[in-house]
Structure formats: structure tokens, C-alpha cells
Amino acid sequence: MSDRIKILLSPFFIFCLVLLIVNDFILKATFHNVLTGKLSDFCGLFIFPIFWSAVFPKQKLWVFILSGILFIFWKSEFASGFIELLNTIFSIQRTVDPTDLIALPILLLGWFHIKGDPNISLSNSLITRLSALFIGAVTIFSFCATSQQRYVQGFDQPEYVLLRSAATPDTTLNYDFNFYKKDSLLVIKVNQVYIAKPVKDDDYNKNRSIKELDKDVLAQIADSASLIPPGKVTTLSISTVQGKDSLRFNGGRLDGRFSRTKNGKLLIEGFYKMGLEDSTWTIKDSSSNKVVIQTFVNGERTSVKQFDHEKLISANRINTRADTIGNKYIQIGILILFVVGIIVLLVRNYRSTFPEQLIFKRVWKWLFCFLSPFFVWLLHAGIRILLMDFRPDFFETLATIMFIFMATCPLMFVVVFWIKLRKEIDIFLYCLLFGLLCSLWTTCGTLIELSN
């Protein structure tokens, strides 16, 4: 086997690859601190030139040199135009942070790693070659997943901020905001904001993303505007395409009664408390007699009622973040009970048939060990759907399949070749057991993220 394949299967390369994926999909979302941000840079900059050196073994030096140059360019403002061009085709996220350049010395470690002897003994078997191809596919996936798309936070109710400004910013430079000039004041209607991937798309997450919305908007428009200190009450009205909005601000945030009228008809009426919806909101359909009444507590919807000619059509209770956390504890308890039940069934099957076992050819045993993780993933996905916790994200789905394969494939080898299968039903029970354990693991992770 060639040295380039040995490099891809070296323990240090695989360790950095797994650490990069775990950091991007789990650690960043859980902790979201400087360490997790820098960890991706160090791991990515280590495996990136090594992988491409395996693809172009005669150009190793140039691969490392260009990797360093590309990293510096990517982390600079000069790459902004290129990234905007790519975003017309793909969704790419990049953070400009000069301190990320401290990861550059890791290139030397990668260079010494490929120049030295990998010190691993590998056969030239088909399994080894397939393993190298699998690691290569996972590596390419990690490069793509590191720059996942940004997520958009929209608003059901109008969201405004108020700033002081002598001029109106150029509206052609920003399509997320609408600007309305009122003497020395600038009213900004925020249509959407970009956020990190939320653990749950709910009002709690929205409230957290707009906690300092006036400061975030000021930083984005890069204008001579300034903040209005809290305590300064401003009342004004603006005309929009949707209607005439009556606004009350405390400092730069909406605070107090909000109303929208059009052609003399009241369309929306509600209250804000420092930018968050509060109390009862009434939304009327301009073309019919339908009315929607929403109730908010601390900015989170608790109920939605729909009326037609004062007749109640529907009434829905909405879970707050606290309700969702409570439900997760219940789901974890149910999953644990199922796991214990399946283990009891497997132990009973083992004892009732010992020392007998299922007899089938070795090739079928190997095939089962390699294919069963995909059935485990299907069961895991079905359980997540039942728990209403399935998010059809492409990168997350691929990462989940890879994690389940790496975790359950070795376990299936232990089951088949050491513990041994006793009954035909054991095949399904083991897949279901591992599917439940994967769902229990992800549900616990979701609970931790929700609690944070």
C-alpha cells in the first residue's frame, strides 16, 4: 500500500479529523467559546494539506505553501468579495478574526508528520482500501461542513430599533433593513438577522438572538449613527407598504403599545417590553373577519387562538422553552425504559438458548456488521421523528450517519463474533437497541443545549 494511503489511515490524522467534526457539530453548539472556535482552525489546518498531499503526492511542498496562503486569504477582509460571489451558488459562513492566524504553525507539524514514517503496518486488502476511501470521503465532508450556511431569524411581529443619525444609510447595501428618517432620528425596520444554528427554532431562541439588537444593527450599518440610552422615551409613526405603524421606544428598543393601521382599519395591536412581545397581540385579516389572538409571557408565545366573526375556530397551546425542557426529561425517561426492556429480552434469549447460536456464513456476518449501522440510523431517525426532534439538515444527517457507523460497526463485530446471536429476533433487537441508545444520546445533548 502506498504511503499516501498510510497517511490517511494514521491514528493522528483520524484523531484530528474526528475532533474537527465533533467540534463543528457538538462542541461549538454546546460551548460556543474561543477554544471551540480555534480548535476547528488547528484541526482543519492540520488535515487539509495532508489530505491534498495524499491526492497530489508529488506536489507536497506546494500543497503546504498554498494551504498557508489560502488560510491567510480566507481569514482576511480581502476574501469578502469572493465569498459573496460563492454565496450566490453555495451558502458559506466565514468569520474574519486575525487571531485565527495563530493556527499557522500547525502546518509545520503536518509537514513533519507526512515526511516521517507513519509507523503503521497495513495490509493491501480490499477492506483497508475501502477504509481509506471512507476516510477520504469523511475528510471532504468535514471541509464542507466547517463553513455551513448561516441561519436566518425572521419575525412574526414587526421589529424596529431607533438610532440617532444625521443621514440615511444607503438602502442598496443592505436588504435586511428598511430605513426611515425622522429629523435626527433613524428608525430601522429589521426584516431578519443571521444567527448560529439554533437547537430549537422557538421564541426563546429568537429573544436571545435580538437581546442587543440595536447594538447589532449599529455595528452592521457601519454609519455615523449612535445609540439612544435607555430611559429616553420616543413616540412616533411611520408609513410602510404594510400600513401605518405607531411606535413607542425606550432608548433604542420598542417598549409599550404597537399598532398598525391601513385604510382606517386596525390590523395589528400589541405590546412590547424592551423589544420582546408582551401580553396579548391581536392580528386582523384585512380582507376578511378572521382574527388571531396570541398570548405572550416573557416574549414567548403560550397560546394562539383564531376567530371568524367572533367564533372560535382553533385554539393551540404553544410550549415555552421551560415546557420543552420538561418534555425532554420525560422523553429521556421513556427511552431509558425501552433500552432496559430490550436488554432484558436479549439476556433472556441468551440464557434460554445457551449454548446454541445462529449459524450463518462468515461473509454474511461481515455483511451484517457493515450494513447494520444504516438500519440503526433509520431506526434512530424514526425515533427522532416520533419525538418531534428530527431536523432534516443535509450536513447534520451525513454527520449522524458517519457517527453511527463509526460507533455501531465495531459493536456489531463484538455482538456477532464474540457474544454471538442466539435467535433471529436478536438481529432486530440489537439494531433497535443501538438506535435507542443513539436517540438517548442525542436527546441528552439536546437537553443540555436547551438548558444552556
Side-chain angles (χ1 to χ4, degrees):
M1 178 174 292
S2 64
D3 289 340
R4 60 180 180 177
I5 293 183
K6 285 185 178 181
I7 286 294
L8 292 183
L9 295 178
S10 67
F12 199 35
F13 180 87
I14 294 176
F15 171 77
C16 290
L17 175 61
V18 172
L19 184 59
L20 174 64
I21 296 176
V22 170
N23 184 64
D24 285 342
F25 284 93
I26 300 176
L27 300 183
K28 277 186 177 180
T30 303
F31 301 104
H32 195 65
N33 54 27
V34 176
L35 178 61
T36 57
K38 297 294 184 286
L39 191 59
S40 291
D41 295 325
F42 278 93
C43 292
L45 200 55
F46 177 80
I47 67 173
F48 185 83
I50 292 178
F51 172 80
W52 290 112
S53 294
V55 177
F56 304 104
K58 296 182 179 180
Q59 307 294 333
K60 293 179 182 178
L61 180 60
W62 278 110
V63 166
F64 273 80
I65 293 174
L66 291 176
S67 295
I69 295 174
L70 179 62
F71 183 75
I72 295 172
F73 173 74
W74 185 260
K75 292 295 181 178
S76 70
E77 290 284 357
F78 300 105
S80 298
F82 176 68
I83 292 173
E84 288 179 6
L85 178 62
L86 289 179
N87 276 327
T88 59
I89 306 173
F90 307 101
S91 295
I92 296 177
Q93 183 180 6
R94 188 277 315 251
T95 302
V96 178
D97 187 356
T99 63
D100 290 342
L101 298 181
I102 63 173
L104 281 172
I106 202 70
L107 287 171
L108 291 176
L109 180 61
W111 176 256
F112 290 133
H113 181 67
I114 66 168
K115 295 300 289 184
D117 185 359
N119 292 323
I120 52 176
S121 178
L122 296 171
S123 64
N124 201 23
S125 65
L126 177 61
I127 293 177
T128 305
R129 292 183 177 276
L130 290 176
S131 299
L133 291 175
F134 175 75
I135 293 298
V138 174
T139 305
I140 294 175
F141 164 78
S142 70
F143 296 154
C144 299
T146 300
S147 300
Q148 297 178 65
Q149 66 179 13
R150 295 181 295 176
Y151 288 81
V152 175
Q153 176 64 66
F155 306 106
D156 293 329
Q157 274 67 248
E159 192 65 55
Y160 290 89
V161 297
L162 185 65
L163 301 175
R164 284 198 180 96
S165 178
T168 303
D170 188 353
T171 56
T172 61
L173 300 178
N174 197 312
Y175 299 100
D176 299 329
F177 305 144
N178 296 119
F179 302 102
Y180 304 92
K181 194 74 175 67
K182 294 286 185 178
D183 298 327
S184 61
L185 300 176
L186 180 65
V187 182
I188 304 174
K189 184 177 185 292
V190 183
N191 300 314
Q192 62 185 28
V193 294
Y194 291 101
I195 60 173
K197 183 179 181 179
V199 60
K200 182 176 177 58
D201 186 13
D202 58 5
D203 288 331
Y204 182 91
N205 183 78
K206 180 212 61 175
N207 296 341
R208 186 171 59 176
S209 67
I210 63 172
K211 185 177 181 179
E212 296 184 334
L213 186 60
D214 52 344
K215 296 179 182 178
D216 296 336
V217 170
L218 178 63
Q220 290 185 50
I221 63 176
D223 194 53
S224 58
S226 61
L227 296 173
I228 298 177
K232 173 66 174 176
V233 176
T234 307
T235 303
L236 46 82
S237 298
I238 61 171
S239 296
T240 69
V241 176
Q242 294 80 17
K244 184 177 181 180
D245 292 350
S246 297
L247 313 173
R248 183 183 186 276
F249 292 92
N250 183 343
R253 304 302 301 275
L254 287 169
D255 188 76
R257 183 179 181 272
F258 170 90
S259 66
R260 171 176 290 174
T261 57
K262 188 172 185 179
N263 299 325
K265 184 177 181 180
L266 182 65
L267 299 181
I268 302 176
E269 184 178 26
F271 293 87
Y272 281 101
K273 188 174 182 179
M274 295 309 294
L276 306 181
E277 296 94 332
D278 189 48
S279 189
T280 302
W281 279 70
T282 303
I283 299 98
K284 299 180 180 179
D285 192 334
S286 59
S287 59
S288 67
N289 292 312
K290 292 183 178 180
V291 178
V292 176
I293 297 179
Q294 302 181 0
T295 303
F296 290 85
V297 176
N298 297 324
E300 295 184 78
R301 274 173 294 189
T302 58
S303 69
V304 177
K305 297 179 180 179
Q306 186 173 356
F307 296 84
D308 188 1
H309 289 88
E310 300 184 355
K311 179 182 178 182
L312 181 63
I313 299 176
S314 63
N316 298 314
R317 186 184 180 278
I318 310 297
N319 286 339
T320 64
R321 179 59 65 93
D323 296 329
T324 302
I325 291 175
N327 290 338
K328 289 300 171 188
Y329 278 111
I330 296 174
Q331 292 173 0
I332 289 173
I334 294 173
L335 289 173
I336 291 175
L337 289 177
F338 275 106
V339 167
V340 173
I342 291 176
I343 292 176
V344 170
L345 286 175
L346 288 170
V347 171
R348 189 179 66 178
N349 290 345
Y350 185 90
R351 289 178 176 178
S352 64
T353 58
F354 185 82
E356 297 178 3
Q357 57 180 283
L358 285 178
I359 304 299
F360 49 98
K361 293 182 179 180
R362 191 177 187 87
V363 63
W364 289 107
K365 292 182 180 180
W366 280 81
L367 189 63
F368 170 73
C369 292
F370 278 106
L371 293 182
S372 58
F374 295 101
F375 292 102
V376 172
W377 174 79
L378 288 174
L379 290 168
H380 164 71
I383 294 169
R384 297 300 296 277
I385 291 173
L386 288 175
L387 299 178
M388 295 183 291
D389 199 24
F390 183 76
R391 294 180 292 178
D393 180 272
F394 177 74
F395 284 111
E396 184 175 338
T397 300
L398 283 180
T400 302
I401 293 174
M402 292 177 183
F403 282 133
I404 289 178
F405 183 87
M406 290 186 289
T408 61
C409 189
L411 292 175
M412 284 299 182
F413 273 97
V414 173
V415 168
V416 172
F417 290 97
W418 183 50
I419 299 177
K420 304 186 186 304
L421 299 170
R422 302 295 170 174
K423 292 184 177 182
E424 291 86 350
I425 192 64
D426 288 355
I427 296 175
F428 171 74
L429 290 178
Y430 276 112
C431 290
L432 181 58
L433 175 62
F434 292 143
L436 286 168
L437 289 173
C438 291
S439 299
L440 181 60
W441 172 268
T442 53
T443 304
C444 289
T446 301
L447 177 62
I448 294 173
E449 291 186 65
L450 290 171
S451 301
N452 291 334

